Amino acid sequence: YSEEVLDVRFLGPSDSHIVVASNSPCLKVFELQTLACQILHGHTDIVLALDVFRKGWLFASCAKDQSIRIWKMNKAGQVACVAQGSGHTHSVGTICCSRLKESFLVTGSQDCTVKLWPLPEALLANKSTAADSGPVLLQAQTTQRCHDKDINSLAVSPNDKLLATGSQDRTAKLWALPQCQLLGVFTGHRRGLWNVQFSPTDQVLATASADGTIKLWALQDFSCLKTFEGHDASVLKVAFVSRGSQLLSSGSDGLLKLWTIKSNECVRTLDAHEDKVWGLHCSQLDDHAITGGSDSRIILWKDVTEAEQAEEQAKREEQVIKQQELDNLLHEKRYLRALGLAISLDRPHTVLTVIQAIRRDPEACEKLEATVLRLRRDQKEALLRFCVTWNTNSRHCHEAQAVLGVLLRHEAPEELLAYDGVRGSLEALLPYTERHFQRLSRTLQAATFLDFLWHNMKLSPCPAAVPPAL
């Protein structure tokens, strides 16, 4: 029942809560562990954007009612409005808090201006969630006309000295704080910009545009460093993750994409939303992300890169150990254990090696029968699938036919037909088996003809030796 989710943010010093701005004047705060919800009243029109101060207790909101509000969460998780301000002449569409400490916030509006709002000392000194006299009134310190069209996004640099703005006029601009002096313009996108973000580690700015691309810009000379193309529609949000080495983006195509900056490629596409993904925020530890979209869904994501790498490493180590154990079993001629282990590895070539080792034994026929018939049913089903693979190669068809011979001689037809996928296996086996049979028949005919020729050859008698002259 969230309607269209316009923005989401993590709250609390340990990211224990989230705050959601949906198509409503009310904000919703959820505790992630229990999903208990608080509804915050204060704005009189739809809330458009949110941002959170570094420590996680204070956050800010802006709305179509041309106002901004600051909210504070106490240690019990209760949230109250502690400050409010107004001064824009149109909807306030974007807001950004200071990064180093709780000192100021910046807002951007459809009136094409940016305002810087310092936080009053009274607000920071007040330890309660809300003063008895009501919210503190905020006064704008700086107002600057920045663009010719709507300002869609703001970003404050990690050192609080720079401000980036992104606009519908297809440009991003860099400003010096707190006076908002223009330092340079980033031009290159073909359509309006939806989001701008500073890198946490490098002198780089990322921009997301309605032209479906993400660009990285150098702050020193305002040049474009990289362009990421992959979204089929507007890119609405972008965030630096993995300590600034990767980008996470969301688009109006409902997709999230993970990009590796160094290689300039998309390494993962996540498809969980069915409509525009307006909200994207990463946790302080950089191990979780939260998204919200026009499909009314709010999705929490977890970074499982390290877990997947550890799992892959454990699998590789297990494979090495099993391969060594398999070699030992073959050396000791413990064929049943060796075959069972090879089947568990799910590698047809390894199983083929075991079958070949059994067939090299002086008592090959008896050993193969005894080994195959003692397998479990699921192992026999896997062996039959492997036989289909071997049978396609004339060099390995003898092992496949040997195993098939054992199964056909000793398993009842009803049992064979009950095997999983047996019909598909038989359909794949028949054409190659007929081809092998025809090849062997031709070879047998040729051998018979050679044998016939050998037996009917008449060698002329050797001439008698002439005695040497005396």
Side-chain angles (χ1 to χ4, degrees):
Y1 307 103
S2 298
E3 297 187 61
E4 186 172 6
V5 178
L6 300 180
D7 209 354
V8 287
R9 287 288 189 275
F10 283 103
L11 275 187
S14 57
D15 297 325
S16 56
H17 294 66
I18 59 169
V19 57
V20 180
S22 55
N23 201 15
S24 161
C26 301
L27 291 171
K28 294 178 182 177
V29 175
F30 295 92
E31 184 180 2
L32 287 175
Q33 198 164 3
T34 63
L35 292 183
C37 178
Q38 299 174 59
I39 298 178
L40 309 181
H41 301 275
H43 285 287
T44 57
D45 207 339
I46 294 172
V47 179
L48 297 175
L50 304 164
D51 200 18
V52 181
F53 287 94
R54 186 172 64 89
K55 293 182 180 178
W57 298 111
L58 280 179
F59 68 96
S61 60
C62 59
K64 282 187 175 181
D65 60 11
Q66 305 174 15
S67 74
I68 62 171
R69 285 180 177 263
I70 297 178
W71 311 78
K72 188 171 185 178
M73 183 172 71
N74 62 17
K75 292 184 178 180
Q78 299 300 311
V79 181
C81 180
V82 293
Q84 64 181 14
S86 58
H88 283 288
T89 57
H90 285 79
S91 299
V92 187
T94 179
I95 192 166
C96 189
C97 301
S98 55
R99 294 294 171 232
L100 280 179
K101 56 184 180 178
E102 299 164 346
S103 55
F104 66 90
L105 57 86
V106 186
T107 56
S109 168
Q110 285 184 351
D111 60 16
C112 305
T113 65
V114 162
K115 289 182 182 287
L116 186 142
W117 311 76
L119 268 61
E121 293 293 333
L123 175 63
L124 300 175
N126 184 16
K127 300 299 181 184
S128 63
T129 56
D132 296 335
S133 57
V136 176
L137 290 178
L138 299 174
Q139 297 292 329
Q141 173 184 317
T142 307
T143 300
Q144 177 70 46
R145 183 178 174 87
C146 294
H147 290 272
D148 298 326
K149 291 186 179 180
D150 298 0
I151 298 172
N152 291 330
S153 180
L154 299 171
V156 174
S157 63
N159 62 2
D160 281 352
K161 292 183 178 180
L162 299 173
L163 172 71
T165 58
S167 168
Q168 205 65 33
D169 65 8
R170 299 181 293 183
T171 66
K173 294 184 180 181
L174 190 66
W175 309 81
L177 292 176
Q179 272 72 39
C180 282
Q181 298 161 324
L182 181 63
L183 299 177
V185 182
F186 305 94
T187 57
H189 282 291
R190 299 185 305 276
R191 298 185 67 184
L193 274 66
W194 281 113
N195 196 225
V196 292
Q197 288 293 332
F198 283 100
S199 168
T201 55
D202 300 313
Q203 298 289 310
V204 170
L205 181 76
T207 56
S209 168
D211 62 14
T213 66
I214 303 160
K215 289 182 182 288
L216 290 185
W217 309 84
L219 298 184
Q220 288 87 353
D221 57 4
F222 309 101
S223 62
C224 180
L225 301 174
K226 289 179 181 286
T227 300
F228 301 87
E229 298 182 26
H231 283 281
D232 294 329
S234 300
V235 186
L236 302 176
K237 283 286 171 70
V238 64
F240 284 90
V241 294
S242 304
R243 293 172 287 279
S245 64
Q246 291 182 304
L247 291 170
L248 185 63
S249 63
S250 66
S252 57
D253 50 10
L255 300 177
L256 266 73
K257 287 183 179 287
L258 182 65
W259 311 82
T260 299
I261 293 175
K262 188 175 182 180
S263 61
N264 213 60
E265 63 180 356
C266 176
V267 294
R268 187 72 62 90
T269 298
L270 307 167
D271 185 6
H273 286 280
E274 296 174 357
D275 208 340
K276 300 179 182 68
V277 185
W278 288 109
L280 168 64
H281 191 225
C282 297
S283 63
Q284 295 178 23
L285 295 177
D286 216 15
D287 58 348
H288 287 79
I290 193 151
T291 56
S294 298
D295 55 1
S296 305
R297 288 182 180 175
I298 302 164
I299 300 177
L300 183 66
W301 304 86
K302 182 180 179 182
D303 183 1
V304 294
T305 305
E306 291 184 2
E308 285 184 351
Q309 289 174 346
E311 185 180 346
E312 188 64 30
Q313 179 66 22
K315 281 184 178 179
R316 283 197 296 267
E317 292 174 358
E318 185 182 1
Q319 293 277 7
V320 171
I321 293 170
K322 283 187 175 182
Q323 186 63 48
Q324 184 60 52
E325 185 182 352
L326 181 62
D327 293 341
N328 295 338
L329 290 171
L330 287 176
H331 181 71
E332 298 167 8
K333 295 188 177 183
R334 297 167 63 185
Y335 296 129
L336 180 62
R337 285 283 306 279
L339 191 58
L341 182 59
I343 291 171
S344 71
L345 290 171
D346 195 28
R347 293 192 298 203
H349 184 72
T350 305
V351 180
L352 176 64
T353 305
V354 177
I355 297 294
Q356 288 171 338
I358 296 173
R359 295 186 75 238
R360 283 195 296 269
D361 194 280
E363 302 172 355
C365 188
E366 293 80 4
K367 288 283 178 69
L368 185 62
E369 283 188 4
T371 304
V372 170
L373 293 176
R374 289 173 64 188
L375 293 173
R376 300 192 309 269
R377 177 169 163 174
D378 61 316
Q379 292 174 324
K380 291 178 182 177
E381 290 172 352
L383 195 56
L384 186 61
R385 289 198 305 272
F386 296 156
C387 284
V388 173
T389 304
W390 306 336
N391 201 47
T392 59
N393 191 324
S394 59
R395 288 185 299 171
H396 305 146
C397 65
H398 303 290
E399 287 77 12
Q401 294 297 324
V403 172
L404 283 173
V406 172
L407 292 175
L408 292 171
R409 282 196 303 271
H410 296 279
E411 295 279 311
E414 297 79 16
E415 293 180 7
L416 281 174
L417 287 172
Y419 279 15
D420 185 32
V422 68
R423 296 183 186 276
S425 298
L426 289 176
E427 288 176 3
L429 283 166
L430 280 172
Y432 284 99
T433 302
E434 289 176 0
R435 191 180 303 175
H436 299 321
F437 179 72
Q438 291 169 4
R439 181 168 47 81
L440 289 172
S441 298
R442 290 194 300 270
T443 306
L444 183 60
Q445 288 174 4
T448 305
F449 181 65
L450 284 173
D451 190 52
F452 172 76
L453 285 178
W454 172 254
H455 285 292
N456 286 277
M457 287 172 68
K458 293 183 178 180
L459 299 175
S460 58
C462 296
V466 179
L470 297 173

